[in-house]
Amino acid sequence: MSGQQRTVAVLGAGTMGSGIAIVMVRAGHRTVLFDVSEEGLARGIDTVNGFLDNSARLGKLTAEQAAEAKALLVGTTDLADLGPSDVVVEAVWEDLALKKDVFGQLDDVVSDRTLFHTNTSTLSVTGVASGSRLPERVVGTHYCNPAPLMKLVEVANGRHTASWATEATLEFMTSLGKTSVITKDRPGFIVNRFLIPWENSCINALEAGLGTVESIDTAVLGSVGHPMGPFRLLDIVGMDIHQQVATRLYEQLRDPRFFPPPMVDRMVASGDLGRKTGRGFYEYGDTKLFGS
Ligand SMILES: NC(=O)c1ccc[n+]([C@@H]2O[C@H](COP(=O)([O-])OP(=O)(O)OC[C@H]3O[C@@H](n4cnc5c(N)ncnc54)[C@H](O)[C@@H]3O)[C@@H](O)[C@H]2O)c1
């Protein structure tokens, strides 16, 4: 699959779907972004176009490259438009019944050889795959947020995933310039097993007054060399999503390090979700999901 232009459907135009759509068009794939919400779709398309414009402004892409990438994207709220897809990447809300239903509906729209990728963070890939009449085509592909900036994708097979689907997925990841690691269909895969407890411990350090938002981010940048501090990252992830992922992993793993600190609940209750609401740990002048 590497090197060939593909037609990719991205389901869900939120934080992850819009980020994944940027990855697809930058790699030269025709991309159809699908959402059930007209408003969500419009916002997702704005995010993709804004990111590409900003990349051109910063000299990371030429103006022509940005225009070519933008021309590869179309948006739709009609599932029937996903018919020609070679690959479907699902990034809808983290709800098992919803994800199963979406894959079941897609079975009737796309070819039997279309690959189904699920970006679930906490659900079983096998469980999501059971929504499709062809679970052998379903592979877990867990993109790191922000998807356009982070290279890693975790690849997890469900119980019935066929080897052709895994191999095609790994080749596809190469076409995207991603680094893939194969992991098991287990709660948290690899990354969230360490990332969620680490993020929680940074929030606890803040709540204990060990530092400020800025000083803890600075300490992380200057010590362990992460590309961004925990609070900048959490503002991109979204506190509602962090709360949901941390709670679900706690429920499955029964390890208290995953349990979200009280500050998370207060931020969610007050609507301070991060970049998407314009305020989280930091204040933003807009509600753009991420910068270039
Ligand atoms: N935010 C993160 O850091 C992160 C990281 C990795 C994986 N994930 C996973 O990615 C998925 C999406 O998370 P997000 O943070 O982008 O959520 P989000 O709330 O930002 O976006 C979800 C989008 O899905 C849309 N949607 C709902 N039902 C739909 C349907 N039937 N068909 C099409 N679209 C539908 C919603 O309108 C919304 O635009 C979840 O499974 C989440 O666990 C999130």
Side-chain angles (χ1 to χ4, degrees):
M1 194 177 272
S2 188
Q4 286 178 44
Q5 189 185 43
R6 296 280 153 177
T7 300
V8 181
V10 180
L11 313 182
T15 306
M16 292 311 291
S18 57
I20 291 167
I22 293 167
V23 172
M24 297 303 161
V25 295
R26 265 194 331 209
H29 298 302
R30 289 179 296 265
T31 304
V32 186
L33 186 58
F34 168 82
D35 204 293
V36 283
S37 147
E38 290 277 359
E39 199 190 330
L41 179 64
R43 186 155 186 241
I45 289 178
D46 275 359
T47 299
V48 176
N49 290 336
F51 185 94
L52 294 168
D53 287 340
N54 207 26
S55 299
R57 257 196 307 278
L58 295 171
K60 294 179 182 172
L61 293 178
T62 64
E64 293 71 36
Q65 285 169 328
E68 275 170 27
K70 281 161 73 173
L72 289 170
L73 181 73
V74 292
T76 186
T77 54
D78 184 355
L79 209 65
D81 291 338
L82 308 185
S85 311
D86 300 303
V87 182
V88 167
V89 187
E90 160 300 286
V92 304
W93 288 318
E94 187 77 339
D95 177 309
L96 181 61
L98 176 71
K99 287 181 190 280
K100 283 174 64 174
D101 183 56
V102 164
F103 277 177
Q105 286 187 52
L106 273 168
D107 279 341
D108 298 330
V109 172
V110 299
S111 119
D112 283 358
R113 293 293 291 181
T114 301
L115 274 175
F116 282 10
H117 288 167
T118 173
N119 188 44
T120 183
S121 300
T122 61
L123 301 170
S124 141
V125 175
T126 304
V128 175
S130 70
S132 171
R133 134 180 91 72
L134 300 171
E136 58 269 30
R137 60 153 115 202
V138 181
V139 183
T141 57
H142 187 244
Y143 289 75
C144 289
N145 190 358
L149 305 181
M150 307 307 285
K151 277 192 91 72
L152 189 77
V153 176
E154 296 176 279
V155 175
N157 288 332
R159 192 168 162 81
H160 298 294
T161 305
S163 55
W164 67 261
T166 315
E167 280 156 26
T169 298
L170 293 173
E171 276 181 42
F172 184 63
M173 290 304 152
T174 304
S175 85
L176 302 178
K178 292 292 184 192
T179 302
S180 350
V181 289
I182 297 186
T183 183
K184 288 189 184 300
D185 181 18
R186 300 286 186 279
F189 304 122
I190 300 170
V191 171
N192 278 339
R193 287 281 182 124
F194 62 80
L195 190 62
I196 299 293
W198 175 75
E199 286 169 337
N200 283 345
S201 64
C202 293
I203 297 168
N204 281 326
L206 178 67
E207 202 148 24
L210 300 186
T212 62
V213 165
E214 291 80 3
S215 69
I216 295 172
D217 268 357
T218 302
V220 167
L221 288 176
S223 59
V224 279
H226 289 203
M228 67 182 82
F231 300 119
R232 288 270 174 220
L233 176 60
L234 282 162
D235 275 356
I236 293 173
V237 167
M239 292 309 283
D240 52 340
I241 301 291
H242 179 76
Q243 182 189 48
Q244 182 187 57
V245 170
T247 304
R248 290 199 178 170
L249 290 179
Y250 170 72
E251 284 165 2
Q252 293 176 79
L253 299 168
R254 291 285 155 197
D255 178 339
R257 293 174 310 137
F258 288 87
F259 196 76
M263 184 180 281
V264 176
D265 297 341
R266 292 200 301 275
M267 290 178 73
V268 172
S270 62
D272 293 342
L273 303 184
R275 291 229 53 152
K276 59 185 162 189
T277 57
R279 185 162 66 180
F281 289 102
Y282 292 92
E283 296 265 355
Y284 302 90
D286 56 50
T287 55
K288 280 193 206 142
L289 292 178
F290 29 72
S292 181

